[in-house]
Each structure stands twice: as C-alpha cells, then as structure tokens.
C-alpha cells in the first residue's frame, strides 16, 4: 500500500543545505513507496519517498495532468515565492499559474523532487533503514530508476497518462526516459537543452566537479551528515565550475568584462566582478543543497544513455509516440544545439528543432519564459498546428541559428 506522508521532526545538524525533517514543509506533499525499488545497476532501495508539489485541480478523468521535471540543482518548487521551507522562488514561476502557459485553472501541474535529491525526496541526507543517514552508502542511481519512482507517484495520484511531460537539462533526460520507456503514459513531450546520451565533454565537466567535492577534507567518504561540518568548500567550487558552463562567453563578457569588483583591486588580493558573481552563486547553492545529492545526481547524469539496452539511441528514439517539440538554446555550450538536432531527427513525432534565442547559454531555458511559453502553448493549445508555425511564435522558429 502506498501513502502520502506529512513531515515529522528529526533533528539534524546543518552540515548540509538539504531540506530536513523538522524544517517548514512549505507546499510539499510526500509520497511513500512502501515496496523496495529495484535499481537498474542492481540491488534495491528501500524506504523511497518523493517530495512533490501540485498546482491546479486534477480532472475527474485525470486527463489534465502535466509533469514538470527539474534540472540538477532544481527542486519541486516550480512556482511561487521563496517562503519558509522554500529558500528560492519558483524556477519556472513565469510559466505556471492562472493565465500562464501552464494555466492552473485548466491544467493540474505536478513537480516532484527527483529521487536522490535533497529537497524532501530520498537521498544521501535522508534516513536509511536502521535510522542512520545514507551518506556515502546511498546507492548508484540512473534516470531509469528516477522515472520508475515518478511512475509510482503517478499511480498513487491516479494519473495513467500525462497530457504533457516537460523538462530541461537533467529534467529533459527524465522526460525523454518517460517517453521512451512509457510511451502509453506520455501524451506530449517537451525537451529543452538536453541530450539522448551524456557526451564525453559533459562527463568530463561533471568529473571535475565531483573531484572538487570529494577532495574536500570534510567529505569523509560521504558520511559527513550529523558531524556538524560538510564539504561546503568542495560543493562551492563545483558550483563555480558548473556555472561557467551554464552561461555563455558573450554574456560574461558583456556583464563583467575585466572590471574589478567595486573597490577591490585584483592586483592586491581583490576580485574581478566575474569572480564575485561566481562566489555569490556558490554561496547560494551551499545554503540550499547537499553535496551528496550533487554527487549522486551528477553520476546519474553521466550514466544517461537512452539507447542502453534498446538497440542504441536511434532505436530508442523510435519508441517515442508522443507529439514532441525539441528546443535548443542557441548560445548553449554545455548542451550544444547539435545534441537537440539529433533528438529532433530521431524522434518520429518531432519536427525541426526549435531555437531559443538567448545570450544566457544553457540557463536560457530557465530564463526565457516567453519563448518557452510559446513551446508549451504549441503542444497543449494547438497540437494540430505544430507544423504550421504562427508568426512571432518561438515554436515556429527556424532551425537556422542552431545549424551554425
């Protein structure tokens, strides 16, 4: 039997930025899967819980459900202000709500915190069977494991088929896995700035970040929870490295150039403005994330290969039956548009890749709300018009900018 849980108080010292039992629950609900979850790499994970948030009301026939899947350091808080229990505002706040692209007067939007995450779902900072924190003993996960947990959540909510599954970056990996492994449950598919399989360069960038975390003397083989001191320095350095890949050279040059940070002198121990910017984002992440989850989720992303055991990428993509839009960010250097072109070419129900015009690099899919809203609208409001773009709608943007 599966249940939706409420929060219970279990004190834990702040060696981590994870949401912990006893913290304000905010808008979260919890789903508990009482049977152990079998894992792709072998073994099983017992005591699985997923934190999730919902907006809108589920229709009696459950036909209006939309699944939104977050990226690496995202969480279930897609919409709404920062508040007790939610350290940051909703990461797609401009898309979810009354009158917005995901109009909650019509659609029932569900956003889970990914399995292995740290904002309420089971992950390294969670209690393992026996009462100790998982820490470094948390098992290796893949996107297939994470989607299996999300499918159990859908079952518990009474949702047999999603009207739309949408995600970008790591969320796009899981959205694609939904459409390939469960085509009968995926009504439409929106893939943003993602890939069919992690590339060598993406694995390389992630590996550098993982080394930064594991090199921190407070990493303690992942068993730092409850010690009072976690690998904050290593996690901060991982975030600095990652954030450079999330943004474009053009944006960094335009915003910061070679200017010093206010009155600081880089020739005398001070920082450049771009250094201050990276420090700021590093400090923000350390306050709201868990280093163990960063490792588990990064390794899951490195393992991503939609074609594994399915006859290769081309064979796997041919399994998708949902109307699909694939969008690239033209300035993305981490998930370059060539990867989205491969997806669009291989998915039988997709047409030419769309291009989000943005100077912000990979993060453009999180920033360019109006352009992403046009894609959502094309799938949900006008599915019959997907191949007949309307003037000014990003859903009809020429693939030209992504070709060069």
């Amino acid at each position: 039997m599966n249940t939706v849980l409420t929060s219970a108080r279990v004190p834990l010292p702040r060696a981590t930025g994870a949401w912990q039992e006893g913290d304000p629950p905010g808008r979260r609900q919890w789903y508990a899967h009482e049977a152990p979850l079998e894992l792709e790499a072998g073994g099983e994970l017992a005591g699985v819980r997923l934190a999730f948030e919902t907006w809108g009301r589920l229709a009696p026939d459950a036909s209006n459900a939309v699944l939104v899947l977050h990226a690496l350091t995202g969480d279930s808080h897609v919409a709404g202000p920062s508040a007790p229990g939610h350290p940051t505002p909703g990461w797609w706040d401009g898309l979810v709500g009354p009158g917005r692209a995901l109009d909650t007067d019509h659609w029932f939007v569900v956003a889970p915190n990914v399995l292995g995450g740290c904002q309420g779902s089971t992950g390294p900072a969670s209690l393992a069977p026996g009462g100790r924190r998982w820490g470094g003993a948390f098992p290796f996960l893949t996107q297939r494991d994470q989607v299996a947990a999300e499918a159990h959540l859908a079952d518990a909510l009474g949702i047999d088929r999603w009207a739309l599954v949408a995600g970008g970056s790591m969320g796009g990996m899981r959205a694609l896995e939904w459409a390939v492994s469960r085509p009968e449950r995926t009504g439409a598919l929106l893939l943003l700035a993602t890939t069919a399989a992690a590339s060598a360069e993406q694995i390389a960038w992630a590996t550098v970040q993982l080394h930064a975390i594991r090199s921190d003397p407070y990493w303690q083989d992942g068993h730092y929870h409850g010690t009072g001191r976690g690998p904050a320095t290593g996690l901060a350095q991982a975030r600095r490295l990652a954030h450079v890949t999330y943004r474009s050279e053009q944006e960094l040059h335009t915003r910061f150039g070679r200017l010093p940070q206010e009155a600081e002198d880089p020739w005398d121990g001070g920082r450049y403005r771009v250094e201050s910017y990276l420090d700021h984002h590093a400090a923000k992440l350390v306050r709201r994330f868990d280093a163990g989850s960063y490792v588990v989720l990064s390794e899951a992303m490195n393992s991503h290969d939609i074609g594994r055991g399915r006859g290769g990428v081309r064979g796997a993509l041919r399994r998708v039956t949902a109307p699909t839009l694939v969008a690239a960010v033209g300035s993305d250097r981490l998930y370059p548009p060539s990867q989205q072109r491969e997806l669009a070419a291989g998915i039988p129900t997709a047409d030419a890749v769309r291009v989000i015009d943005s100077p912000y690099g990979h993060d453009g899919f999180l920033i360019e709300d109006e352009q992403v809203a046009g894609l959502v609208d094309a799938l949900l409001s006008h599915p019959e018009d997907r191949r007949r773009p309307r003037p000014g709608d990003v859903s009809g943007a020429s693939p030209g900018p992504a070709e060069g």
Side-chain angles (χ1 to χ4, degrees):
M1 179 177 177
N2 300 315
T3 55
V4 174
L5 305 180
T6 57
S7 173
R9 181 175 293 275
V10 180
L12 179 69
R14 286 293 185 185
T16 173
W19 184 91
Q20 298 159 10
E21 302 286 359
D23 289 347
R27 298 188 75 260
R28 293 175 183 83
Q29 303 172 63
W30 278 269
Y31 158 76
H33 185 62
E34 295 185 0
L37 183 71
E38 293 186 9
L39 303 179
E40 184 185 4
E44 58 187 26
L45 178 60
V48 168
R49 295 201 318 169
L50 290 185
F52 66 99
E53 297 179 47
T54 66
W55 297 262
R57 180 173 296 181
L58 186 64
D61 62 357
S63 63
N64 67 334
V66 172
L67 180 63
V68 176
L69 301 174
H70 67 76
L72 171 60
T73 59
D75 54 36
S76 64
H77 198 52
V78 173
S82 58
H86 300 297
T88 56
W91 51 269
W92 251 4
D93 194 54
L95 269 74
V96 177
R100 295 175 181 171
L102 291 172
D103 187 341
T104 50
D105 290 335
H106 179 73
W107 300 106
F108 179 66
V109 179
V110 180
N113 181 217
V114 68
L115 181 65
C118 63
Q119 286 297 317
S121 291
T122 299
S126 304
L127 289 173
R132 300 185 65 181
R133 303 288 161 180
W134 276 104
F138 194 80
F140 184 89
L141 296 180
T142 69
Q143 272 74 32
R144 299 183 191 185
D145 303 323
Q146 293 162 338
V147 168
E150 291 163 2
H152 289 306
L153 168 62
D155 293 341
L157 295 174
I159 299 168
D160 295 328
R161 186 173 186 266
W162 300 102
L164 170 68
V165 179
S169 194
M170 184 186 81
M173 295 176 180
R174 299 192 339 268
L176 180 61
E177 178 61 33
W178 264 98
V180 169
S181 63
R182 294 164 176 82
E184 75 286 354
R185 304 192 72 169
T186 308
L189 179 64
L190 178 59
L191 302 175
L192 303 166
T194 193
T195 183
S199 70
E201 184 175 30
Q202 287 157 349
I203 294 170
W205 278 116
T207 297
V208 175
Q209 295 163 45
L210 295 176
H211 276 291
I213 292 171
R214 288 170 169 149
S215 296
D216 189 307
Y218 292 100
W219 169 243
Q220 303 175 70
D221 292 326
H223 295 290
Y224 56 87
H225 302 94
T227 68
R229 184 72 183 268
T233 299
L235 179 58
Q237 186 65 353
R239 180 61 166 184
R240 291 183 185 94
L241 289 163
H243 203 76
V244 173
T245 71
Y246 296 159
R247 299 294 178 130
S248 72
E249 188 277 336
Q250 174 191 349
E251 187 214 1
L252 296 179
H253 172 73
T254 301
R255 287 183 65 183
F256 306 112
R258 294 184 46 78
L259 295 173
Q261 173 63 14
E262 297 180 349
E264 297 184 31
D265 181 1
W267 287 28
D268 190 26
R271 298 172 298 172
Y272 291 97
R273 284 188 184 178
V274 71
E275 291 180 81
S276 174
Y277 169 74
L278 295 176
D279 289 346
H280 168 73
H281 282 281
K284 281 180 62 178
L285 187 74
V286 167
R287 289 194 295 269
R288 67 173 183 84
F289 215 76
D290 177 67
S293 280
Y294 200 100
V295 169
V296 166
L297 299 182
S298 295
E299 290 185 330
M301 292 174 71
N302 285 351
S303 78
H304 173 59
D305 178 0
I306 201 67
R308 183 174 58 248
R310 294 168 173 159
V313 165
R314 290 185 179 181
L317 295 181
R318 285 196 294 268
R319 299 186 183 194
V320 177
T321 59
T324 300
L325 285 178
V326 181
V329 180
S331 57
D332 192 344
R333 56 183 173 182
L334 181 59
Y335 287 73
S338 59
Q339 294 185 328
Q340 291 84 62
R341 289 199 297 271
E342 179 187 27
L343 288 170
I347 294 174
T349 50
D351 51 12
V353 67
R354 311 304 206 228
V355 178
I356 297 171
D357 183 18
S358 175
Y360 299 113
H362 185 60
D363 275 353
F365 81 92
L366 296 170
I367 296 170
E368 305 290 355
D369 285 351
E370 291 187 10
Q371 296 185 61
V372 176
L375 297 167
V376 173
D377 180 68
L379 278 169
L380 290 182
S381 300
H382 307 282
E384 72 282 1
D385 291 335
R386 286 196 318 110
R387 295 181 183 275
R388 293 184 282 121
R390 293 167 288 163
D393 188 344
V394 69
S395 65
S398 164
E403 299 290 338

